[in-house]
Amino acid sequence: MTGPRAAPQASWIIPGLAVLAIAVAAAALTVGAFPVTLEGFIRAVKNLWSGDLPQTSEERVLFGIRGPRILAGLIVGAALAGAGVVYQGLFRNPLVSPDVLGVSAGAGLGAVIGIFLSLPVFAIQMLAFGGGLATVGLVYLIAVAVRGRDPTLVLVLGGVVVGALAGAAISLLKILADPYDQLPAITFWLLGSLASVRGGDLWNVMPAVLIGLVPLVLLRWQINVLSLGDEEAKSLGVESGRLRVIVIAAATLMTASVVAISGVIGWVGLVIPHIARMLVGPNFERLLPAAMLMGASYLVLVDTLARSLGRVEVPIGILTAVVGAPFFLWLLWRGRHGWS
């Protein structure tokens, strides 16, 4: 693909992905255990537009339960996919996901501690958020302490070690937890779900996601340069060390904030960036919005399946693994075009 032809293609792909995300979200509003007809949906939207409070069962389901959940799916999917793009470009490794620095394991440990102590939902979410940030902070301190080595390699290895320790602590708490009350809650949280998300949770998460997203957008061309390597970045006037810290902090903030309300949802940050890269190329300026829009659509679609396939809701993490693993193997098999 040559440069002059890539721009017009990307010019319609990203708006097209935005339209797709809106269409998927609108369709998801009408699907579920409580059926909502198209006429009921349009009537409910008209009533909402006129300022009336939800009165019918359809309106309460749409705007009190299903709407916040779908908005959460859009935000969580976009944040995880965006963080995946950042981490894969930063570490120049296609196998990297937002979990590489242990943020999901740390968030999981924080949430499991909260459930083990029978804390309120908000406290559990805050512990998950703090656990994710603390884990990445610890990994970064390890990277700073270990001098004379490749900083990227030390960060990845530090993330593996700290993530493994967090996983061991989670296993210990699962053994000690009440098998009839706490253990099912811990297991369900670790597999990811949007079932417990309410409107207030979105107001807690959105500022953190936006704070993380803003520097990624403002520094998009420097992040492009950083993906070439430290020497090339330095030759082009980019201070790679400081930029790496800012980018990691931004991506970690986005990941930890959404994991705090959704639990650990794998594969989104790993697979979606690859698909987006196939559509718009490796330019971070186009890749970031494309991946975020695709991640938003994908997670809403998966969540709709999770709550519609049977009487018992399937944890999202199971479905993303079932879909993501074969697709990733197909990508590996098809990888004759390389990862760049």
Side-chain angles (χ1 to χ4, degrees), residues 104-166:
S104 293
L109 177 59
V112 169
I113 291 173
I115 296 172
F116 184 77
L117 296 175
S118 301
L119 297 179
V121 173
F122 182 73
I124 293 172
Q125 292 175 347
M126 290 299 100
L127 277 175
F129 178 67
L133 294 181
T135 302
V136 176
L138 179 59
V139 170
Y140 184 75
L141 289 178
I142 293 173
V144 171
V146 180
R147 297 181 180 276
R149 303 286 184 181
D150 182 351
T152 302
L153 179 62
V154 175
L155 275 173
V156 173
L157 293 179
V160 171
V161 171
V162 175
L165 286 174

Side-chain angles (χ1 to χ4, degrees), residues 89 92 224-235 240 244:
R92 288 176 290 161
N224 257 337
V225 173
L226 192 63
S227 65
L228 300 175
D230 288 357
E231 293 299 325
E232 288 79 358
K234 186 177 180 180
S235 66
S240 58
R244 185 179 290 109

Side-chain angles (χ1 to χ4, degrees), residues 130-324:
L133 294 181
T135 302
V136 176
L138 179 59
V139 170
Y140 184 75
L141 289 178
I142 293 173
V144 171
V146 180
R147 297 181 180 276
R149 303 286 184 181
D150 182 351
T152 302
L153 179 62
V154 175
L155 275 173
V156 173
L157 293 179
V160 171
V161 171
V162 175
L165 286 174
I170 290 173
S171 298
L172 176 62
L173 290 173
K174 290 173 71 175
I175 292 173
L176 298 175
D178 180 351
Y180 300 105
D181 181 24
Q182 295 172 331
L183 185 58
I186 290 172
T187 303
F188 203 77
W189 196 92
L190 291 175
L191 290 174
S193 173
L194 300 176
S196 61
V197 174
R198 296 293 178 264
D201 298 328
L202 302 179
W203 291 109
N204 296 329
V205 167
M206 286 182 66
V209 173
L210 290 175
I211 291 172
L213 183 60
V214 167
L216 299 181
V217 174
L218 295 178
L219 299 171
R220 55 191 182 278
W221 77 266
Q222 290 98 324
I223 297 173
N224 257 337
V225 173
L226 192 63
S227 65
L228 300 175
D230 288 357
E231 293 299 325
E232 288 79 358
K234 186 177 180 180
S235 66
L236 293 171
V238 174
E239 208 288 292
S240 58
R242 181 187 306 171
L243 179 60
R244 185 179 290 109
V245 172
I246 295 173
V247 171
I248 288 176
T252 300
L253 182 63
M254 292 171 60
T255 305
S257 59
V258 296
V259 170
I261 64 167
S262 68
V264 180
I265 300 176
W267 294 95
V268 178
L270 178 63
V271 174
I272 296 298
H274 287 294
I275 304 174
R277 197 175 290 112
M278 292 165 64
L279 284 177
V280 299
N283 188 331
F284 186 81
E285 190 171 351
R286 295 192 298 269
L287 182 58
L288 181 65
M292 293 185 71
L293 290 168
M294 291 183 66
S297 300
Y298 175 69
L299 197 61
V300 170
L301 183 61
V302 170
D303 180 58
T304 304
L305 290 175
R307 59 183 169 83
S308 307
L309 286 178
R311 291 187 175 182
V312 178
E313 180 168 329
V314 181
I316 296 177
I318 294 177
L319 287 181
T320 55
V322 169
V323 176

